[in-house]
Amino acid sequence: MSEMLGNQYFLTRNYSMAAATFSKVYARDPQNLSVRKRLIVCLIQTGELEKGFDLFYELVKENIEAITKTDPIADDCPCSELTEKYGKILPYEENSSDLKLVLGILWLYCDVNKSLEFFKQLYLLHTDDKRFQEIILAIENYLVLKNKS
C-alpha cells in the first residue's frame, strides 16, 4: 500500500480505507509526519479514538509543530469542517470526554488556543491522566516560543 493511495482515500474522506492504508505505510515508515498527521484524523473519524489519541500524544511530545504548522489548504486538512461538525457542545454533551478529546485533537491542526482550552477541560475531568497535563505543557511551551519569534 502506498501513501499516494492513502492520500486519495483521504481526499475523498473515505477515512476507513485511508486509515487502513496509512496504517500500513506507518508500520513501514513511522517517521513519516504526513502519514502520521493524517492517520490521527482517520483514526478518530473511524471510532478508534484511543489509538488516534496515542498517536497524537506521541507526535505532540516529539514534534508539536508537525501538527500546529498544518496548512489547511495545502495539506487538504478536513479539521475546520470537522470542528464545525463537532464544535457545538450541547448541554447533554458537556461532560463528554470523548467529544472534548476529538475537538482538542482537531483544533490543534487549526487553532492552538482552542485546542488548549479543550485539553484543560479534559485535565480537570481526568487529573489522573498525566497525558493531558503533558499536552497542555507542550501547547503552552509552543505558544511561548511562537510569541517570542
Side-chain angles (χ1 to χ4, degrees):
M1 294 284 172
S2 74
E3 182 177 352
M4 190 180 296
L5 179 60
N7 287 335
Q8 288 299 314
Y9 289 130
F10 192 80
L11 287 169
T12 61
R13 305 304 186 235
N14 185 339
Y15 296 114
S16 60
M17 292 301 293
T21 305
F22 286 143
S23 290
K24 291 175 183 171
V25 175
Y26 174 69
R28 286 193 318 267
D29 183 10
Q31 298 307 310
N32 186 325
L33 295 179
S34 175
V35 166
R36 290 167 75 183
K37 288 172 28 172
R38 288 178 175 213
L39 181 55
I40 291 165
V41 173
C42 292
L43 290 171
I44 62 175
Q45 289 306 295
T46 58
E48 296 183 77
L49 185 55
E50 192 61 37
K51 194 173 178 181
F53 179 54
D54 289 342
L55 191 58
F56 172 83
Y57 172 68
E58 290 171 16
L59 188 53
V60 165
K61 285 190 342 183
E62 180 184 318
N63 182 358
I64 192 169
E65 286 188 341
I67 297 174
T68 60
K69 298 283 184 177
T70 299
D71 181 329
I73 295 168
D75 294 335
D76 189 43
C77 182
C79 295
S80 59
E81 64 197 55
L82 294 173
T83 53
E84 187 174 317
K85 174 182 171 183
Y86 298 116
K88 298 186 177 35
I89 296 181
L90 302 173
Y92 64 87
E93 300 170 312
E94 186 59 39
N95 293 321
S96 172
S97 293
D98 287 351
L99 180 57
K100 289 178 182 182
L101 182 56
V102 166
L103 286 166
I105 291 170
L106 292 173
W107 274 118
L108 194 60
Y109 288 80
C110 13
D111 187 324
V112 177
N113 290 302
K114 286 186 181 182
S115 177
L116 180 60
E117 290 174 31
F118 281 104
F119 282 107
K120 284 182 175 180
Q121 291 175 32
L122 284 163
Y123 181 64
L124 290 175
L125 293 172
H126 306 282
T127 55
D128 56 320
D129 191 338
K130 298 302 178 198
R131 296 177 299 177
F132 296 129
Q133 184 178 24
E134 290 177 29
I135 291 169
I136 290 166
L137 290 172
I139 294 171
E140 288 174 339
N141 288 336
Y142 168 78
L143 288 170
V144 167
L145 292 172
K146 181 180 168 192
N147 289 333
K148 284 184 179 180
S149 53

